[in-house]
Amino acid sequence: MTAALVRGQNHPLPHTRLEIRVSAGVPVMAGATLGDEDGRVRGAEWVAHPGSPALPGLEVSRQVAADHRLAVDLDALPAGVHRLTVLLALPVGAGGPDRFGAVAAPFVSVTGLDGTGIAGYTVTGLSTESAVVALELYRRHEAWKVRAVGQGYAAGLAAMLADQGLDPAADLAHAIQEAVASGLNRAVAAPPPRTAEGDRVRHGAPPAAPGPAAGPAATAGTQGGPAPLGRQAPPPAAPRPSGPPPSGPPLPGGPIDYTHPRRVAAPPAASLSPTRPAPTQPAPPVAGDASGWTMEERLYNQVWGMFEDLARTTAAYRSAVDFAESRMEQELDRVLSDPRSRIGAGGDAARAAARAKRDELTDRAREALDRDLAQLTAEAEVVEPALPAAFAGWDNPVWHAYRVPTEAPMAMRLGDLHLPESPDLRIPMLMRLPLERGLWVDSGRSGSEAAADMDEAGLRRLAMDTAVSLAARLVAVHPAGDYTVHVIDPAGSAAGSLAPLVESGVLAERPAAGAGGVASVLDRLTQRVDLVQMAVRGGAADSLPPDLDTSEQLLIVHDFPHGFDDRAVTRLRYLADEGPAVGVHLLMVADREDCRAYGPVLDPLWRSLLRVTPVPDDHLADPWVGHAWTYEPSRVPEGSGVLRGVLSRVAAARPHRRL
């Protein structure tokens, strides 16, 4: 039974190979420090964090996430370590909450590798703190124990590290936050709550009550063994970052629940036995089987629910496989430690039995995963054809019946995501609109194996084709005239890729070439940002010049930084930082290696943009468990005229506008 700890309470640890699980409800950084007998951390080499995630006997997550798993082997820790401290910190400058008092109380638990709960602690009583010491594992007389700490620091990560004896703590805290910021650039942001008239809010599931019920026994569907599908059950100790509200009748004045009443969740594989019948098959999936006021919103929530389900069921499978491997290693260690069984028929039989048990556990985990994948695949096959144009791939028949919309969509498809365990199951990657950050199509060859296998010219051309496809989709899914598109092509080398935009008449003007063209476009867009900002801050939006184009502005920049001087680079950074808030957005095509001469000056620019690639690349992370997902852009089918046809209709419906 899991021990529910309160602050200051300790509990013995029966194993030395453990998992520490964190459920925070919002993205947090999870790290750990190693301390000597006096609790002092000897240096940065004894701190595990996203920038340095692995130490002997300890491994932490590489990016911020709402859920974390830290792997601990107490026997493998460096000599002299007597204490392992688990740290949580909110990311700085990420636009999220800046204090733990504004979010649900984090829940931290210690489990065996098989998911058996040992101790859990809900970190309550936090207010202005942005960093907290959650737990510590410490050694007393050769026995290890866990203690609930819950010590928060309003001054943040630097103050917490300084309190553990690190000097200089501020430098290490800065390096950690830089690593966190780099990881955030990889993360697919969870959809925020959407509010409008009539309480149009998508609520997450309620948190589990603290105590034993919130421990690993209550987390089987999200962090323990193979997870059952279905989105009615709440996750442990924190609201689900996205997805439908809890099922049940609608409350007066509250949100309406559209959850399909026949959805059936299969029980976890651990609950099956030879004498227990197989689970009831779930009802056929239904498109729009999620909460929402419109079909578009319901489909959006359903796609995000599928995304989360695939992330969590894969995490459960990987955890089960890791447990099977660890158990086999332990059994083999016992065989090898006894000279009498090390050799001979007895030793061979013991080794064969250990491997057979490993294979059995792995096969059971795979069976549970395959069952969940089959349900998700069936759901995807129903959902994909029902998606509106903004969510659909270019090969979807919905584009052949395209009509210029009269309302802006709530999101737009950037491509597809998949995991190595299920490469054929693709999840649409949907980005909320209006855009809150720009996009960067990476034309470099160092990002992935697929990019490295291509020739440089071909990769750059493919990157620009991807940018044009994204720009065309953004314009097409908005009402006529909502977006004005500008292009900077300093050398004029992207004429072939830009042909659909140029020939259709969608562009506001011909692509700008040369240093003079670059400066002219940037100056006008910078002036527009300044004017709109002053009008908004002064409460005088109606005083803008009558000839100012009030539509959203999209700037496509090809082959950056060629054609850019220092002044142009400064203006581009300004547009990246200040533009999205007033309707000016960047879509950059660039190879970061081409910008090495600028050094760290451009680091904020790259962090402000969401990186996508023209070829498959596993650089994006989900917001729940932090898997590395392979992203693939949504491509126009070879030989298809759908893109030109859509753009011609957009141009025909587009009123004449001036910047």
Side-chain angles (χ1 to χ4, degrees), residues 132-156:
V132 61
V133 173
L135 296 175
E136 65 177 9
L137 280 57
Y138 64 98
R139 180 162 54 185
R140 287 289 185 273
H141 307 298
E142 302 306 318
W144 285 90
K145 295 183 178 183
V146 57
R147 176 186 292 123
V149 180
Q151 175 64 53
Y153 295 83

Side-chain angles (χ1 to χ4, degrees), residues 33-40 42 46 74 77-85 136-145 147:
T33 62
L34 305 179
D36 58 19
E37 196 166 4
D38 297 325
R40 186 178 182 85
R42 293 181 179 176
W46 272 19
L74 298 174
L77 294 175
V81 172
H82 287 256
R83 184 172 303 178
L84 186 153
T85 303
E136 65 177 9
L137 280 57
Y138 64 98
R139 180 162 54 185
R140 287 289 185 273
H141 307 298
E142 302 306 318
W144 285 90
K145 295 183 178 183
R147 176 186 292 123

Side-chain angles (χ1 to χ4, degrees), residues 22-26 66-67 103-107 204-209 214 234-241 312:
V22 177
S23 180
V26 297
D67 297 325
V103 300
F107 178 75
R240 173 175 170 161
R312 294 191 184 280

Side-chain angles (χ1 to χ4, degrees), residues 335-387:
V335 172
L336 295 175
S337 64
D338 187 353
R340 294 171 297 179
S341 61
R342 189 176 302 165
I343 57 176
D348 293 341
R351 284 187 284 270
R355 295 188 179 97
K357 184 63 176 179
R358 185 270 314 274
D359 293 342
E360 178 189 356
L361 293 175
T362 302
D363 290 344
R364 287 171 55 191
R366 185 70 211 194
E367 180 183 352
L369 175 66
D370 289 342
R371 183 180 62 242
D372 288 351
L373 292 180
Q375 184 175 345
L376 280 170
T377 299
E379 189 171 8
E381 290 173 350
V382 171
V383 169
E384 188 70 42
L387 295 177

Side-chain angles (χ1 to χ4, degrees), residues 409-652:
M410 65 183 298
M412 182 186 83
R413 187 172 188 156
L414 295 185
D416 296 331
L417 298 170
H418 64 87
L419 291 171
E421 287 84 355
S422 51
D424 295 331
L425 178 55
R426 307 298 176 95
I427 303 295
M429 180 182 172
L430 303 181
M431 170 175 266
R432 281 295 295 263
L433 297 173
L435 295 173
E436 296 181 355
R437 62 192 299 197
L439 298 173
W440 163 34
V441 182
D442 189 354
S443 59
R445 301 181 62 198
S446 60
S448 67
E449 293 182 6
D453 291 339
M454 293 189 64
D455 66 277
E456 184 176 351
L459 184 61
R460 291 180 182 270
R461 183 173 58 254
L462 190 59
M464 194 59 189
D465 289 344
T466 301
V468 169
S469 172
L470 291 171
R473 178 184 291 269
L474 185 63
V475 172
V477 301
H478 283 84
D482 268 19
Y483 263 88
T484 300
V485 183
H486 311 268
V487 176
I488 289 178
D489 184 19
S493 57
S497 298
L498 290 170
L501 295 177
V502 174
E503 295 171 2
S504 66
V506 167
L507 295 184
E509 56 194 357
R510 302 289 299 182
V518 171
S520 176
V521 172
L522 293 177
D523 286 347
R524 283 182 287 134
L525 288 175
T526 301
Q527 183 182 26
R528 183 188 187 279
V529 171
D530 291 339
L531 285 173
V532 177
Q533 279 186 338
M534 287 189 292
V536 171
R537 291 169 183 170
D542 56 350
S543 65
L544 288 168
D547 60 345
L548 183 77
D549 183 359
T550 56
S551 67
E552 302 278 308
Q553 308 289 311
L554 177 67
L555 174 60
I556 304 174
V557 179
H558 177 243
D559 216 14
F560 176 80
H562 301 296
F564 282 72
D565 56 19
D566 290 345
R567 183 173 181 271
V569 169
T570 301
R571 290 191 177 278
L572 189 70
R573 287 184 54 190
Y574 176 75
L575 293 178
D577 293 338
E578 304 294 336
V582 291
V584 177
H585 311 282
L586 288 184
L587 175 51
M588 289 185 55
V589 180
D591 179 0
R592 193 167 182 175
E593 289 298 311
D594 293 342
C595 309
R596 285 178 296 177
Y598 289 95
V601 172
L602 290 180
D603 286 351
L605 174 64
W606 305 121
R607 287 199 296 265
S608 69
L609 304 173
L610 176 64
R611 175 178 174 258
V612 296
T613 53
V615 293
D617 186 32
D618 59 349
H619 67 283
L620 293 174
D622 65 79
W624 302 288
V625 293
H627 292 316
W629 293 73
T630 296
Y631 165 82
E632 290 192 37
S634 181
R635 299 198 183 285
V636 178
E638 189 73 26
S640 172
V642 64
L643 182 63
R644 292 177 180 267
V646 167
L647 290 177
S648 65
R649 294 180 185 179
V650 170

Side-chain angles (χ1 to χ4, degrees), residues 175-265:
I176 294 175
Q177 292 294 358
E178 285 289 313
V180 167
S182 176
L184 285 171
N185 190 47
R186 300 174 55 243
V188 180
R194 185 185 187 196
T195 59
E197 294 182 17
D199 190 29
R200 289 181 63 181
V201 180
R202 292 192 302 277
H203 297 276
T219 69
T222 57
Q223 297 184 22
L229 288 178
R231 293 186 271 279
Q232 287 95 342
R240 173 175 170 161
S242 66
S247 58
L251 300 176
I256 297 176
D257 176 28
Y258 289 95
T259 303
H260 195 276
R262 292 179 296 138
R263 179 178 288 277
V264 178

